[in-house]
Amino acid sequence: MPRVTAEEVRAFVMDELAEPLAELGLSPKQVRDDLDLLSSGVIDSLGLIELTEGVNERFGLAIDFDELDPEGLTVVGSFSRYVAQMSANGAAAGLGRDESPGR
């Protein structure tokens, strides 16, 4: 499984959230890395769960998002970088923690 970049994750997130962003008058290009998706009203808690599941499915990952600071989970840049980092650390679906590279 190729590594996923933060830019790829961000592009996926922006595509998935294009409609709620548009409802707030934002285009994906206008969204800053420090936008908090939850507090800005782009998504709710259920939407966050769906987004994390969608990221795992889209990129073939099995990321445990419980390890990410809850505040970082809802911020576009932090979320994207975390997914990229976990991808680089071997969070591909089917790799358990004990089987990931470097363990």
Side-chain angles (χ1 to χ4, degrees):
M1 170 64 57
R3 289 184 178 176
V4 177
T5 67
E7 292 77 20
E8 290 171 318
V9 176
R10 179 186 168 85
F12 174 78
V13 170
M14 293 299 101
D15 186 53
E16 289 293 301
L17 300 177
E19 187 174 321
L21 286 169
E23 289 174 7
L24 293 175
L26 296 171
S27 74
K29 291 181 181 183
Q30 293 175 306
V31 174
R32 295 174 29 147
D33 270 358
D34 62 351
L35 177 70
D36 187 313
L37 298 168
L38 192 61
S39 68
S40 66
V42 175
I43 58 174
D44 57 17
S45 55
L46 179 58
L48 183 60
I49 292 168
E50 291 171 346
L51 182 62
T52 57
E53 289 175 356
V55 165
N56 275 332
E57 184 177 314
R58 164 64 179 86
F59 296 109
L61 301 171
I63 295 174
D64 180 3
F65 287 95
D66 290 337
E67 295 178 7
L68 179 61
D69 175 21
E71 291 179 17
L73 182 61
T74 62
V75 176
V76 173
S78 299
F79 179 83
S80 300
R81 288 187 295 275
Y82 181 75
V83 172
Q85 178 185 3
M86 292 297 99
S87 169
N89 290 343
L95 284 181
R97 288 180 182 216
D98 296 337
E99 299 169 359
S100 61
R103 298 248 174 183

